[in-house]
Structure formats: C-alpha cells, structure tokens
C-alpha cells in the first residue's frame, strides 16, 4: 500500500544549522557550566606567568624568604585549581557530547524505522554512517563552543595582564588577535565545502562496503567479485582524493595560522625584551611578558584550529539533515480499518506495470506469474505499502476502500508482503521467527511444518534456539528462505503476499512448503487470503486461480492446469 510523502514535522530540524542550534539549546546547561570551568582553567593558566613574574620581582630580587614561601604556596594552589577546573570541565562536556550523540542516533534510527518510511537517496551503509559517525561529530559543536569561549577568555585576560605591564603590549594583543581571527575565518567556507564533500564520499564508500559485504555470497554465485572489487576500488580512490584534498586544505590553513600566531607571540616577546633593555619594564615584568607571549600561542592555536573542526561538524550536521529533514514516504492516513480482506489493484502503473487490473477475493489462494521478473517486483513493491501513491498511477484497495483513506497501522495489520530478498537478524531461529514475541513451541509447530523449518531445527541440538549470525550468514540460502517464510506465516496476516519464497530450496521441500501453505492458511473454516508471486509449478499447483502478467498487464487467467495445457508462454515460463 502506498501514499504520498509528507513534509517533515514542524519541530524537526531540516538544515544543518538548525540541528546545531538545537544541539546547543538542548545541552546549554552542561555547555555553560563546562565553559565556566574551562574559563577558570585558562584564567589560572594565564596567571602562572604573572605569578612567576611577581615571585621574581618581589621575592627573588628582594631576597624575601617569607614572600618566597607564600608565593610558592600560592603557585601550588593555582596549579591545583587549574587542574581540577580542566578535569571537571572536560568531564561535563564529554557527558553532554555523548548524551547528545545518543539522542541523535536514536532520532535517526526512529526516522529510518518510522512506518511511514523516509525519502532519502542514502543507501543502508550511508545511513549507518549518519547514525553513528555523523551523529557523534555533530555533537562536537558543544566542545567547539566551550573551547572557543575559554580561548577568548584566555586571550582577553592575557591582553589585560599585558596592558597592566605595558599598554602598547596589551593593545598589540587586543588588535592583533581579531585581525588574525578575521583572516582565518575567511577560509572557513572553503573548509566547510571541502569537509562536506569528503564526508559524503567516505560515507558513500562505507555504504558500498556494507552492501558488498552483505551481498558477497550472491556476488560469488554469479562470479562478479572482480567487477564489484573494481567498482569499490574506483569509489575508494575518489574518497581518497577527497580526503587528501581535505588534508591539504587543513595543512595549508594550520600552517598559516600557526605561523601568524607564532609571529604575534615572538613580536610581543621581542618588544618586551627591547623595553627591558631600555629600563621601561623590570626583569620580573619581562619574565611575565615572555611567559604570557608563550602562553598566548595556546588559545590562539585553539581558535585557529576551531574553524577546521567546525567545518567537519557542519558537514556532519548537513548530512544528518538529509535524514532528519527528509519527507515521509507515506502520510499519516486515516483511522478506519478495512471492512473486508478483498484486495484490488485498479489501473496501476508503476515501473514496468502499465494499467494492471487484478482482484483477490477473501480466502482465495491466488498465483501471479510474471513473464518478466520486473513486473513481479513492481507488483510486490506496490502491495508492500512502501511506495507513495504519487509515485504510481491507479489505486490499491482493501475492502473496496483506497488505502490512502485507511489507517496505516490497520493496513499493515491486514496486508503483509514478504519480499524475495529478506534479511535475518543476529539471534536465534526462534527470535527470527517470532521477532522476539513470546510464543510456545506447540503454537509454532504448524508454522514450522508449513515452512519446512522443522527440518532446519532438527539439524541442530539446540533446535529453535540455534544461533543465527547477522543477516543469517550462518544458514544456507534455502534455510534462510524457510526461516523468513516461517516469520511471515507466524504473523497470520489476513492477506499475505509472498514473492518467490522458495527459489533456494530443493523440489521435494518446495512441494512440502506448497502443501503446508495451503493447509495452514486455506484448509479451515477461517480461510485467509494468500497471493503467491512465483513461477514455481509446485506452488502454482495448489492455488485456486492463476493470473499471468506480461508487459505490465494481465494477459491470461485460469487454473494452473488450464494454463499449463493451453498457454504456451505459461508452459515455457513455469514448466521449463
């Protein structure tokens, strides 16, 4: 079933800037407290050369032992305060970063798993990168702000201290720092664009790697490993080029910023030395100025590096916005439940489908033979409810009502489509069948028999509790298909659509599954509706009716035996 895409919720951020603003607002308390601790740390750091200068001037030059002892205790206290201030500030900001990253990961996962779907061109591997790496990097904005505030505070305190020693020296810092920051900020847009491009390329390669790893068995089966490896190598080279470009831009930027910062520091120290030779400042003041000029490199370097980090953060935030700001594929829909389970497809055009007309009566076991595989795939996609109604023409109805007017939850509860390519999850055979729900063994027995999973269970001592690795890699292709089929059958949906559910099983097992599906869902007082999109003669033989689809339209209809006897195209496709 499908429906039109909707705009994002009003409170959902749709731009990278909006996401960053929301991050700051959500964690403002921790960020402010952390910034205050960092400012205390930087203030104490600034006071260290001032204190040393005072010790030289008032204790060493005068030979005052008492002043020396008091000064040393004061200096020790200064180090204690700056040490603990940094520790508390770092701890608080790390908590804020990790909490925010967690919230964004959950938000991205919720968006991707929303029943209405999400419109995005990102593949599964890229979505994984967005929900992990990009969410983490976006939360770094908190650290960027806290450290920027602390660096500015350190620079101001340093300038004030220099003003007290000598006004021209303080003015040099107060004037020189904004000029340096202005020049460095001019490069920020370039760094942002470069970082965004680099992150997108790396995410794309990561996504491709994830997809290749998950599909390595099929690739080996068709002998396409070399082609896939060549494609990945080309994409990886592109990502490497983008990374090298980013590294080059950062290197040039950091080299320039470090040089300018060092020149300012050296200039201040040199000027102070000249003033000391003239007797304008004392030896103690000279030591203070040299210490401050040396210390000034730290906050200036921090501020010079922050635009590069901010560019990376902004790039990640923009990628998060691609998911969090994306439209839903399906609207909220209505609230009505279908009045019956008769399924109708009226004049549907989607991909290769061209005005397809078909109907399925309640309790019917219908076979659909697509002479072209793409027709079967397109039909399964439309019936799955993952395609928006504005992406196809025509209507899909349940109980005579167009699905757009029905409640999405009710539609999903009524119609279940099990696609040909399905995924299993790390866990056990039982958890993959029941999706974690508590189900007794005797309750599962009919499902296990119908799907022939009882044969899989019998192979292992742990039975239903046999471990299954991620994507079912520990099972054979046929075993995975049977477990996926059991999962679909266990739901007992009023309307079940199965797309090529037995392509990886042997002929004997296929006949057993065909009989099992018919017995489980149709041999009783409460017959359910089943649609089998397949070319398997074993499955088609148990159906009540078969329709043949070619060029996107129904071209023939009848029972399996009638079509096998009189339709040449049907015989060539099904009985080959």
């Amino acid at each position: 079933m499908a429906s039109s895409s909707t705009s994002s919720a009003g409170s959902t951020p749709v731009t990278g800037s909006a996401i960053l603003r929301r991050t700051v607002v959500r964690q403002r308390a921790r960020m402010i407290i952390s910034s205050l601790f960092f400012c205390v740390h930087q203030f104490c750091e600034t006071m260290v050369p001032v204190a040393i200068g005072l010790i030289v001037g008032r204790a060493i030059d005068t030979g005052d032992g008492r002043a020396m002892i008091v000064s040393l205790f004061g200096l020790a206290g200064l180090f204690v305060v700056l040490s603990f201030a940094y520790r508390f500030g770092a701890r608080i900001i790390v908590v804020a970063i990790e909490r925010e990253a967690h919230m964004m990961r959950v938000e991205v996962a919720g968006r991707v798993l929303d029943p209405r779907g999400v419109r995005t061109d990102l593949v599964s591997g890229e979505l994984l990168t967005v929900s992990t790496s990009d969410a983490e990097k976006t939360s770094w904005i908190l650290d960027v702000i806290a450290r920027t505030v602390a660096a500015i505070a350190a620079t101001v305190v340093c300038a004030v201290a220099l003003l007290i020693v000598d006004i021209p020296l303080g003015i040099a810092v107060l004037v020189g720092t904004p000029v340096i920051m202005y020049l460095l900020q001019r490069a920020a847009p370039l760094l942002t664009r470069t970082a965004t491009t680099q992150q997108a390329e790396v995410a794309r390669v990561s996504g491709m790697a994830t997809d290749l790893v998950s599909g390595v068995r099929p690739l080996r089966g068709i002998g396409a490993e070399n082609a896939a490896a060549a494609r990945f190598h080309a994409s990886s080279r592109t990502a490497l080029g983008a990374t090298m470009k980013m590294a080059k831009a950062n290197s040039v930027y950091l080299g320039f910023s470090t040089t300018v910062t060092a020149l300012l520091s050296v200039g201040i120290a040199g000027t102070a030395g000249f003033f000391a030779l003239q007797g304008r400042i004392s030896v103690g003041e000279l030591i203070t100025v040299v210490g401050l000029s040396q210390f000034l490199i730290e906050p200036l370097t921090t501020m010079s590096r922050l635009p590069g980090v901010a560019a990376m953060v902004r790039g990640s935030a923009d990628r998060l916005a691609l998911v969090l700001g994306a439209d839903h594929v399906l609207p909220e829909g209505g609230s009505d439940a279908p009045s019956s389970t008769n399924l109708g497809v009226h004049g549907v055009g989607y991909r290769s489908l061209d005005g397809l007309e078909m109907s399925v009566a309640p309790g019917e076991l219908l076979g659909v033979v697509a002479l072209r595989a793409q027709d079967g795939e397109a039909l399964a996609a439309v019936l799955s409810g993952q395609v928006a109604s504005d992406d196809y023409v025509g209507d899909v109805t349940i109980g005579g009502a167009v699905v757009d007017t029905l409640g999405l939850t009710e539609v999903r509860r009524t119609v279940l489509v099990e696609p040909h390519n399905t995924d299993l999850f790390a866990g056990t055979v039982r958890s993959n069948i029941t999706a974690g729900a508590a189900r007794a063994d005797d309750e599962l027995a009919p499902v296990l028999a119908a799907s022939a999973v009882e044969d899989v269970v019998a192979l292992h001592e742990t039975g239903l509790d046999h471990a299954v690795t991620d994507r079912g890699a520990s099972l054979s292709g046929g075993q995975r298909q049977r477990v996926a089929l059991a999962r679909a059958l266990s739901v007992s949906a009023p309307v079940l659509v199965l797309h090529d559910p037995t392509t990886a099983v042997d002929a004997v097992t296929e006949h057993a599954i065909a009989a099992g599906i018919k017995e489980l869902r149709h041999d009783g007082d409460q017959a359910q509706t089943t649609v089998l999109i397949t070319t398997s003669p074993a499955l088609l033989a148990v159906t009540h009716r078969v329709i043949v689809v070619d060029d996107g339209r129904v071209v023939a209809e009848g029972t399996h035996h009638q079509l096998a006897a009189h339709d040449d195209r049907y015989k060539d496709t099904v009985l080959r």
Side-chain angles (χ1 to χ4, degrees):
M1 274 37 74
S3 52
S4 61
S5 65
T6 61
S7 59
S8 303
S11 61
T12 302
V14 295
T15 65
S17 297
I19 290 175
L20 293 177
R21 285 195 298 270
R22 187 193 63 177
T23 295
V24 172
V25 171
R26 286 202 300 211
Q27 302 296 332
R28 60 186 179 276
R30 289 188 176 89
M31 186 185 69
I32 291 172
I33 295 173
S34 175
S35 298
L36 291 175
F37 274 114
F38 281 145
C39 286
V40 171
H41 167 261
Q42 291 291 69
F43 175 81
C44 292
E45 286 268 26
T46 309
M47 289 297 103
V48 169
V50 174
I52 292 174
L54 291 174
I55 291 173
V56 171
R58 298 184 181 182
I60 296 178
D61 283 352
T62 62
D64 189 338
R66 182 179 179 182
M68 173 65 74
I69 294 173
V70 172
S71 299
L72 290 177
F73 274 107
L75 188 61
L78 200 62
F79 275 102
V80 170
V81 173
L82 72 86
S83 176
F84 277 95
Y86 182 82
R87 180 181 300 180
F88 290 142
R91 180 179 299 175
I92 293 170
I93 201 65
V94 167
V95 170
I97 289 171
E98 294 305 322
R99 283 180 177 273
E100 184 64 24
H102 167 72
M103 292 170 68
M104 284 190 283
R105 284 194 295 268
V106 172
E107 191 173 5
V108 171
R111 189 76 174 180
V112 173
L113 297 175
D114 192 290
R116 293 173 291 167
V118 59
R119 284 188 183 277
T120 177
D121 295 328
L122 301 177
V123 299
S124 57
E126 290 178 291
L127 290 172
L128 179 62
T129 301
V130 169
S131 65
T132 53
S133 176
D134 287 322
E136 182 74 23
K137 289 177 181 176
T138 299
S139 66
W140 290 355
I141 188 62
L142 301 170
D143 188 61
V144 169
I145 293 176
R147 293 187 183 278
T148 299
V149 171
I152 292 174
T155 304
V156 171
V157 172
C158 188
V160 171
L162 290 173
L163 280 171
I164 294 174
V165 174
D166 191 90
I167 293 177
L169 294 176
I171 292 176
V173 174
L174 290 175
V175 173
T177 300
V179 172
I180 292 174
M181 291 301 101
Y182 172 76
L183 293 175
L184 295 178
Q185 286 296 330
R186 299 287 292 179
L190 174 61
L191 290 175
T192 299
R193 290 194 297 270
T194 305
T196 301
T197 301
Q198 184 262 345
Q199 288 168 290
E201 290 294 339
V202 171
R204 189 167 66 86
V205 171
S206 299
M208 182 180 295
T210 300
D211 294 339
L212 287 177
V213 170
S214 63
V216 67
R217 285 189 177 184
L219 289 173
R220 288 173 177 169
I222 61 175
E225 307 102 303
N226 293 336
R231 181 185 172 194
F232 178 78
H233 182 266
S235 297
S236 183
R237 291 291 299 181
T238 302
L240 175 62
T243 302
M244 294 301 294
K245 184 177 180 180
M246 176 68 182
K248 181 179 179 181
N250 271 331
S251 298
V252 173
Y253 174 84
L254 291 176
F256 174 75
S257 63
T258 302
T259 300
V260 173
T261 300
L263 288 176
L264 177 61
S265 176
V266 170
I268 293 172
T271 303
F274 178 72
F275 287 169
L277 290 175
Q278 289 184 325
R280 184 168 171 174
I281 61 176
S282 66
V283 174
E285 289 174 329
L286 174 61
I287 292 174
T288 295
V289 172
V290 172
L292 288 174
S293 64
Q294 180 68 27
F295 166 74
L296 188 60
I297 294 177
E298 179 185 336
L300 290 180
T301 300
T302 298
M303 286 191 285
S304 67
R305 290 179 176 177
L306 287 176
V309 179
M312 183 184 300
V313 169
R314 177 57 188 271
S316 290
D318 287 339
R319 287 179 55 76
L320 272 173
L322 294 177
V323 179
L324 300 182
D327 290 340
H328 287 295
V329 176
L330 309 177
E332 289 286 355
S335 58
D336 296 336
S339 59
S340 66
T341 59
N342 57 306
L343 180 66
V345 177
H346 309 290
V348 168
Y350 175 69
R351 294 181 186 170
S352 60
L353 300 181
D354 183 19
L356 180 67
E357 292 277 352
M358 61 173 279
S359 62
V360 189
E364 183 176 16
L365 177 53
L366 176 71
V368 178
V369 174
L371 300 183
R372 299 188 307 167
Q374 56 265 41
D375 289 341
E377 293 170 359
L379 176 59
V382 170
L383 295 179
S384 71
Q386 305 299 319
V387 182
S389 61
D390 57 359
D391 289 339
Y392 65 83
V393 299
D395 293 314
V396 176
T397 61
I398 304 175
V402 178
V403 292
D404 291 353
T405 65
L406 300 172
L408 180 60
T409 302
E410 295 297 334
V411 171
R412 294 281 172 81
R413 186 179 294 120
T414 302
V415 180
L416 172 64
V417 178
E418 182 71 8
H420 173 57
N421 296 314
T422 59
D423 285 323
L424 300 183
F425 306 96
T428 63
V429 174
R430 183 193 304 275
S431 65
N432 271 278
I433 294 174
T434 65
R439 303 282 294 274
D441 289 0
D442 57 350
E443 187 180 357
L444 290 176
V447 170
L448 301 180
S451 58
V453 171
E454 57 186 8
D455 295 339
V456 179
V457 172
L459 292 174
H460 307 285
E461 292 182 3
T462 50
L464 281 170
D465 296 317
H466 176 67
V468 175
T469 57
D470 191 35
R471 294 181 181 269
S474 57
L475 302 176
S476 68
Q479 290 173 336
R480 288 198 299 273
Q481 270 196 336
R482 282 183 272 177
V483 172
L485 175 59
R487 180 174 59 195
L489 293 174
S490 68
V491 176
S492 192
V495 179
L496 176 63
V497 180
L498 300 174
H499 183 205
D500 284 332
T502 57
T503 53
V505 303
D506 59 83
V508 174
T509 304
E510 192 171 33
H511 279 85
I513 290 174
I517 292 175
K518 185 175 186 299
E519 180 180 355
L520 182 67
R521 293 183 57 85
H522 298 274
D523 290 353
D525 297 334
Q526 300 295 327
Q528 297 166 307
T529 304
T530 308
V531 178
L532 298 174
I533 304 175
T534 182
T535 56
S536 163
L539 293 176
L540 294 169
V542 301
T543 60
H544 302 144
R545 180 170 60 99
V546 178
I547 62 172
V548 182
V549 178
D550 191 23
D551 290 330
R553 295 174 176 269
V554 176
V555 295
E557 181 179 343
T559 66
H560 168 67
H561 299 292
Q562 290 171 339
L563 293 170
H566 304 293
D567 191 307
D568 291 336
R569 288 183 302 176
Y570 184 85
K571 285 189 291 186
D572 291 340
T573 302
V574 175
L575 303 178
R576 61 185 183 279

